[in-house]
Amino acid sequence: LRIWNAQTGQPVSTPLVGHCGEVHSVMYSHNGEHIVSGGGDRLLRIWDGQTGQPVCAPLKGHNSAVHSVAYSPDGRHIVSASIYETCIWNVELIDQPVDTSLKEHCSSYSSDVLLVTYSPDGNHIISKYHDNSSQVWNAKTGELAKILKPHMGLLAQSPDRKHVISTSWNGNLQIWNIQTGQTVGTPLVGHPTMVNSAAYSHDGKYIVSVSLNDMHIWDALTGQSILERKVDHNGIQSLEYSPDHNYIVSGSRHKSVQVWNAQTGYCLGIPLEGHTDRVDSVAYSPDGEHIVSGSWDKTIRVWKAPKQQPQAVGTQNETYMIAFSPCAEHALNNPQALYDLHPSKDIHLSVTNDGWIVDLSSSPPALLMWLPPANRPPGLYTPGTHLIIGASQTILDLSKLAHGRNWTQCMKG
């Protein structure tokens, strides 16, 4: 395990070594003092969140790999899940599970436990299974409270944790009441194919969903479609609303991040690119100023969140389009600010797959500079990037670039 500084992206202390297999799940305690982890060695480990040192001996009780761990809101208990077992542990009496009644709750169930989490009030535990159904348990007694059997897969949970959305192969969405296990209203019908991702707005009033090539925004109370829009950002894997509900961010299989206007459904300029593999997770910072994305390329990128419609630059193709003003008066004095996009009609720069920076405004495209493999994406700062975690970083300072008709500016001053 590694602890990272969320502001700088740098590792804190040395790696946390102890598991003898892959680590499947980690979580901080709510006060930040401890970290719990579960892994393929069937063990739970608790670590000091500041020093990275183990707090106690490994917790033994599972007969297979631990897939998911979670702290209760009051920090007094931990719930853990393996394929057919769920255990609750008392952090104050860490030697043994305090409740084994949940340990057999899958004995008559033929689906793997994938995820467990506490309800915000700590009274219930929700477990999700490989067949996309969920069960709600009484956290104190271990008794089964509700079974949710959605018609396909769970996609999102409402901010108040009272409802979840599921999808089916025919593209319909269904809202469920977690407490009763009953459907809420009629299905949300409009997508021609199965929905890949959905998200609630932070106030719980709206739902955004996307399938192969269309996006819908729904009224969460009435289930009515408010907006429908065809999208070019194919293969969207993840969606999230901005905290002010004005924007939607998406991550796709095509290695990019896109921001949308939540009122019009139109995208804000060209996608944010820099990842070298599919993007499976995106999220806004609480203040809405940044976006974080996680990719199969093993890196995390923090982006400056677009807030307005920028000018389109160049022609979109398989290479990443970037553009900087060559004029001295528009030069960026701080290389760290190179993620701010400055469109220019005079020069269109692109980073090709083999590392060449080319000017696409020339015919044929002019080769300007070659980047060694170690300095290309995923570690290269591209427009919109604020921070990269998990890769060696390269910042290319083009603030004083003088090219084409403006090359004589390099002689000024």
Side-chain angles (χ1 to χ4, degrees):
L1 286 76
R2 281 186 178 271
I3 302 175
W4 305 84
N5 185 306
Q7 299 296 323
T8 66
Q10 298 301 311
V12 178
S13 74
T14 56
L16 283 59
V17 179
H19 282 287
C20 299
E22 64 274 14
V23 179
H24 290 300
S25 182
V26 294
M27 186 178 183
Y28 268 99
S29 61
H30 291 271
N31 60 10
E33 292 184 0
H34 298 110
I35 297 169
V36 61
S37 61
D41 55 7
R42 303 178 291 179
L43 301 177
L44 276 75
R45 291 181 178 270
I46 300 179
W47 314 81
D48 187 296
Q50 298 297 321
T51 66
Q53 296 300 310
V55 174
C56 58
L59 309 185
K60 303 177 181 180
H62 286 281
N63 295 317
S64 58
V66 179
H67 289 168
S68 182
V69 294
Y71 267 97
S72 62
D74 62 9
R76 297 175 59 188
H77 296 89
I78 295 170
V79 61
S80 59
S82 56
I83 295 180
Y84 296 112
E85 299 166 319
T86 300
C87 294
I88 300 177
W89 310 80
N90 189 324
V91 176
E92 298 172 347
L93 303 172
I94 210 63
D95 297 326
Q96 58 185 355
V98 300
D99 190 343
T100 59
S101 60
L102 276 179
K103 197 168 185 179
E104 301 298 327
H105 80 270
C106 287
S107 58
S108 60
Y109 208 82
S110 60
S111 186
D112 299 354
V113 183
L114 298 181
L115 179 69
V116 287
T117 184
Y118 272 91
S119 61
D121 59 9
N123 292 330
H124 295 90
I125 294 170
I126 304 172
S127 54
K128 181 181 178 181
Y129 301 86
H130 193 268
D131 66 356
N132 291 303
S133 67
S134 295
Q135 295 184 357
V136 182
W137 307 84
N138 186 307
K140 295 181 179 180
T141 66
E143 295 178 353
L144 178 63
K146 299 294 178 183
I147 299 178
L148 307 179
K149 292 187 176 181
H151 51 303
M152 182 52 197
L154 291 178
L155 294 174
Q157 190 174 34
S158 62
D160 61 8
R161 306 295 180 92
K162 293 182 179 180
H163 300 96
V164 292
I165 310 170
S166 66
T167 184
S168 64
W169 288 108
N170 61 10
N172 294 345
L173 295 168
Q174 182 65 63
I175 301 175
W176 300 76
N177 185 305
I178 293 179
Q179 298 297 326
T180 66
Q182 302 299 312
T183 59
V184 177
T186 58
L188 283 58
V189 179
H191 287 286
T193 58
M194 189 178 71
V195 176
N196 295 335
S197 184
Y200 272 91
S201 61
H202 289 257
D203 59 6
K205 294 181 178 180
Y206 303 102
I207 298 169
V208 60
S209 58
V210 64
S211 59
L212 180 62
N213 58 5
D214 70 323
M215 177 187 293
H216 280 262
I217 295 179
W218 314 82
D219 185 306
L221 182 61
T222 66
Q224 296 299 310
S225 178
I226 300 175
L227 180 69
E228 178 182 359
R229 187 74 65 196
K230 296 294 181 182
V231 298
D232 295 327
H233 200 218
N234 294 335
I236 291 178
Q237 299 296 110
S238 179
L239 288 169
E240 182 168 311
Y241 266 93
S242 62
D244 61 7
H245 326 306
N246 290 328
Y247 304 97
I248 298 166
V249 63
S250 63
S252 82
R253 296 181 184 179
H254 297 284
K255 313 173 189 177
S256 62
V257 175
Q258 181 71 67
V259 177
W260 312 80
N261 185 307
Q263 279 71 46
T264 66
Y266 289 112
C267 59
L268 300 187
I270 60 176
L272 304 174
E273 299 189 1
H275 284 296
T276 59
D277 211 329
R278 59 188 283 175
V279 180
D280 271 2
S281 183
V282 290
Y284 267 95
S285 61
D287 60 6
E289 294 298 319
H290 296 91
I291 294 167
V292 62
S293 59
S295 168
W296 282 26
D297 64 11
K298 305 178 183 179
T299 67
I300 298 169
R301 280 183 177 253
V302 181
W303 311 83
K304 185 176 181 181
K307 292 296 184 68
Q308 60 184 1
Q309 182 78 35
Q311 178 183 348
V313 180
T315 303
Q316 297 188 39
N317 54 27
E318 293 183 356
T319 57
Y320 184 78
M321 302 304 304
I322 57 175
F324 294 92
S325 169
C327 301
E329 58 266 30
H330 296 303
L332 302 174
N333 296 321
N334 181 7
Q336 291 286 346
L338 288 177
Y339 45 75
D340 290 326
L341 184 62
H342 289 268
S344 170
K345 296 181 180 179
D346 298 326
I347 181 171
H348 296 160
L349 300 184
S350 171
V351 181
T352 65
N353 292 331
D354 57 358
W356 277 100
I357 297 179
V358 299
D359 175 16
L360 296 182
S361 63
S362 302
S363 182
L367 301 178
L368 301 182
M369 179 180 179
W370 181 80
L371 297 175
N375 302 110
R376 302 173 193 170
L380 176 66
Y381 274 63
T382 50
T385 305
H386 181 72
L387 181 67
I388 300 174
I389 300 174
S392 178
Q393 302 177 20
T394 297
I395 297 176
L396 181 61
D397 186 354
L398 299 179
S399 61
K400 298 181 180 180
L401 176 64
H403 175 65
R405 294 188 299 271
N406 299 294
W407 69 270
T408 54
Q409 293 185 20
C410 66
M411 301 299 294
K412 290 184 178 181

